Amino acid sequence: MNVLEIKNLTKKFGDFIAVDNMSLAVQEGEIFGFLGSNGAGKSTTINMIAGLLQTNGGEIKILDKNIASHSKLAKMNIGIVPQDLAIYEDMTAYENVRFFAGLYGLRGAELKERVEEALVFVGLLDKQKSLPKDFSGGMKRRLNIACAIAHRPKLIIMDEPTVGIDPQSRNYILTSVRKLNEMGCTVIYTSHYMEEVEEICSRIAIMDHGKVIAEGTKEQLKAIITDTRDIWVEVKNTENLEEAALKEIKGVNSISIEENVIKINSQSEVNNLNHIIQFFISRLIEIRSLQEQAPNLETVFLTLTGRNLRD
Amino acid sequence: MNIFNIALIEFKHTIRDVRTLVFMLAFPIVMMLILGTALSTTFDKNIKIGKINVLYTEKTDISFSSPFHGFIKEAKKQDIHFKKAPHGLDGKKAVKQNHYDAYVVVTDKGVQFYGSERNSIQASIAEGMLSAFTDKYNLITEVAKEKPDQVQTVMASVSTTPGSYVKETSLNADKAPGSMDYYAVAMTTMIALYSAISASNLIRGERIRNTAVRLVIAPINKMEIFLGKILGSLALNLVCIMLVMAFSRFVFGADWGVHPGMVLLILFTEVFLAVSFGLGISYIIKADQGTRTILMIILQLSSFFGGAYFRIENADGILRFIMNLSPLTWAREALTKIIYNNDLTAALPVISLNLGISLLFLLFAVVAFRRREGL
Amino acid sequence: MEIWIIFSKLIIILFIGFSYVHSETGNLAWSILLILLYISMNIPLYLVRMEKIKLCIHLGSFILICYSIQEVNPLFLLLLPMNFYEVSAAFFEKRWPLLLVGLLPLFFMEGNQAVYGLTALFSFLVFFMTGRYTERLTTYENKLDKMRLDMQRLSKSLNENQEYVRQSEYTYRLEERNRISQEIHDSIGHSMTGALIQMEAAKTLMAIDQAKAAELLQNAINISKEGIEDIRITLKNMKPPTEQMGLQRLKLQLEEFSIQHQLRMPFVYKGNIDLITPIQWKIITENITEALTNSLKYSGATEISIDIHVLNKLVRVEVRDNGSGIGSGKVVKGLGIVGMEERTASIKGTIIVDGTNGFSVTTLLPIV
Ligand SMILES: Nc1ncnc2c1ncn2[C@@H]1O[C@H](COP(=O)(O)OP(=O)(O)O)[C@@H](O)[C@H]1O
Ligand SMILES: [Mg+2]
């Protein structure tokens, strides 16, 4: 089932088109990544999904229901972690989560239980009585997440939840995203950090200038650029190297030698690293270093757009 | 329920904002203290009110004129001088030209009273005494019709206790506002007006804090948010005002009269006016900085011309006109009448004016609010 | 628009004058003076262009009106709304709160409320209606002008292009004919002549030496066979491979453009160009042409680089100039870009338009 389906979505700010005829679908159980540089239109898209912005054309469906006509159902099933912190700094962590969860119709004992559940989830239960203004950036971010999940939404949309925080909190958040996903939530994760998206997302849409320019699993995305990878093996000497035998190894396309570095171009989908290493060991050629030059999402983005993800 | 929750959260987090709280509570109290003591001499009632000159014409028979003359005599002790109008003099004109504070025409139907607009205090003192007198006189005529034999006794009691006119008008000399009384009312009404500042921040604050996002994405109606916010703001400001009132009453001993319900009602409508105004302004003027500046200018002007900092007396012409534009003037004058004259009807125009204007601003804000994307 | 406002003011002044004459109060001289003063203050209002001066004049009018109300006749109040709207309209977006403000004096005046209310409403209506319609009129006119210009430009370039297309088609055809005749002459011409000579010889020898003649004929047959084979090969060679066609045509076009407009136009291609299909070439060429024209028109660039990169599953074509770009990064799409998008979308491709570093148009086409 499609948890989210977008068709020909468009948003204009005056003459400027921030989201341009965009279509995509997110299936249940996915961690779907929006990857794109600043200003690509990720937040704008999310704001339209959340009903914060009116669309200028196109259609958004949540759980197969159009949000224009089923806004209440959509809202009940979405949890949004906004890009900028959206918490009351002078209310305690507990009060924050309770207030926002209360807007979803939760009451009494159930409300209390859900609030605590959310606080436990983000690891802030022991800080529940403290004011966010005394929190570190990471803790605020976590509270920001807690406020979005207490009502147990089916779809959680996180808009750059890791901007400007310490690595520890970042790891914590990434782990929580996975955990949420395991608990059955579909997650949309927005970022301009390629590593994060590559690490946790099962499918990724690369966005640029309001358009999805490529979409798929990370393998599919990398395969757009190339289906080969380079393995660079630095050896002590290349004197008794039998090039022909090396070429015989399954998947190897070509070999070039520059000084003591042997550059092996090989098919991506064939896992032949073992064989290659075996080749050198069996011939008593000493390996000094070994590097794999495979494209990552950053390279994909760079190759497609000619720009870096972060400028 | 959501409305209530939103109101509650608004209430709570404003109350935790120390700066606002200091501003709404400590500021008026300190101002009261400073202005109330520093300017107390200007409120010396003997000097201020002084002699009251009343012109009168009599078109009546003897039966009424004798108690009336008794009254005149008694009034003289209170420094209210009645003078019979010479033939041909237009009494009303004389009052208008400020030769007299009031003009009274006594006929057998009753007493007609023309007060000076400039010397409204003097005029209202005279009016109060006169109305007490005529009350008594009406009683007598009643009695005279029903039980002719008792007239004499009542008359006697009237003539023996002439001082009681004064008590009943509650225009006893002690009952004019002292400086602390004046500033208690002035500061409370001013601070009620200042609710507009926090109100202008009601929705804008949510936007700046970004929490507007969460409110909008929640499955609640936008109107619930709006009403909740207004409710919270009203409640908080009202509590602040009641605290200021209580403090001035019990610590400074300011006089708030014997109709606290009515006083509160007026203050409530004023807070309502201020809140709607602040909210309305925040929707009329798009730029955040602009809103604050314009609001501050309007509030300061209203406070100044509304007599919050010092009393403006004997104003007329343009100045009077400008003063009348200030909601503070409306509220303050109505409150003065209620507290010192027991004139409850004075509340009616100000309440309806406040509510009317509030609804206008509110209507505007609602329309703007509903049209806007997000909050 | 101003004429309407002037007339409304005049109407109000006339009204004041009439009522004044009828009300037979004194001070006629004064009021005439004030009216004249008002008129003379308000006439320059429509002559000067500087906003500041206008504001000063308005201020003067206000003071004058206030003075007149106070000292001569409260009816002068009627002049107030129009001046008020004129001043305030510049500062406030929303109209109707102004109306409310304009109506405010109603609460503070004695008598004449109805007249004042009417005048305030009338002034409001006149002022803002004329304002709105004038605004609309000017936008229409501007649009019309722009459209006219566009049309001229378009029809001109259309004509030019048609001429150019005709010309070049003709030249190409001539060139092609020339080439084919050359080729035919070079390859089959020779073998045909050879076969002819052999056959002539065979004919002569037929009676004398039948065996010899048969041999010669066999030769001629062989030569003809070879010739036919040659024709086949020639034709096959002559039929250009697709990639060559697209690439060559593009190269030619770029060269021509580069010379014509004195621009550096480095052209790079990478990857297996053969994978690009003819339809893709068509769209690539069209997009490049469009992008080049855009760069020329808007960017003020001195260099436009063209880059075709065939990736594993995608063809990427980038046209980037070193011109001004779009500082804000917010590209507003014109018809040209929309056209490129539509073309590209028709074969499931995408266009990326970026203005952050010069201006670049990137076409992404999937390889199927
Ligand atoms: N309210 C707005 N008015 C005008 N332009 C906007 C507005 N919001 C966003 N934009 C523009 O839309 C583009 C996309 O923004 P956004 O969705 O925030 O990008 P991202 O989240 O991918 O960084 C940006 O160029 C931004 O400047
Ligand atoms: Mg963003």
Side-chain angles (χ1 to χ4, degrees), chain C residues 13-66:
Chain C
I13 290 174
L14 281 180
F15 176 78
I16 294 176
F18 270 118
S19 8
Y20 203 70
V21 170
H22 279 282
S23 72
E24 62 201 41
T25 20
N27 273 338
L28 196 64
W30 261 108
S31 31
I32 290 177
L33 175 68
L34 286 171
I35 286 181
L36 287 179
L37 254 174
Y38 179 80
I39 293 176
S40 53
M41 278 178 99
N42 275 265
I43 286 173
L45 206 51
Y46 305 104
L47 302 178
V48 296
R49 283 275 156 253
M50 291 248 302
E51 286 303 319
K52 282 218 176 99
I53 297 180
K54 280 190 180 185
L55 210 62
C56 289
I57 294 177
H58 275 300
L59 209 67
S61 301
F62 274 133
I63 295 170
L64 183 73
I65 292 172
C66 287

Side-chain angles (χ1 to χ4, degrees), chain A residues 42-43 83 159-160:
Chain A
K42 305 179 296 284
S43 299
Q83 176 170 355
D159 196 355
E160 314 228 4

Side-chain angles (χ1 to χ4, degrees), chain A residues 13 15-17 20 208-209 211-213 220 222-228 302-307 311, chain C residues 309-314 316 318 320 329-333 341 350-356 360 362 364:
Chain A
F13 294 111
D15 271 345
F16 171 68
I17 304 181
D20 193 354
D208 191 44
H209 289 283
K211 294 179 186 171
V212 173
I213 55 170
Q220 287 168 339
K222 289 174 193 169
I224 290 178
I225 307 191
T226 175
D227 55 358
T228 66
L302 177 68
T303 315
L304 293 187
T305 65
R307 273 167 291 123
D311 282 324
Chain C
H309 192 166
V310 181
L311 299 156
N312 191 31
K313 290 187 174 152
L314 197 91
R316 175 176 185 276
E318 184 193 69
R320 177 183 294 277
K330 293 191 177 182
V331 179
V332 172
K333 289 196 268 186
E341 268 177 351
T350 332
I351 292 277
I352 307 172
V353 184
D354 181 53
T356 47
S360 78
T362 310
L364 300 177

Side-chain angles (χ1 to χ4, degrees), chain B residues 219-253:
Chain B
I220 53 173
N221 196 315
K222 266 174 90 175
M223 275 322 281
E224 288 181 285
I225 304 173
F226 192 76
L227 292 178
K229 298 298 283 183
I230 292 180
L231 209 64
S233 169
L234 279 180
L236 181 94
N237 286 306
L238 210 61
V239 167
C240 282
I241 278 168
M242 293 209 293
L243 287 177
V244 171
M245 260 176 90
F247 196 88
S248 67
R249 169 77 189 77
F250 295 112
V251 180
F252 297 150

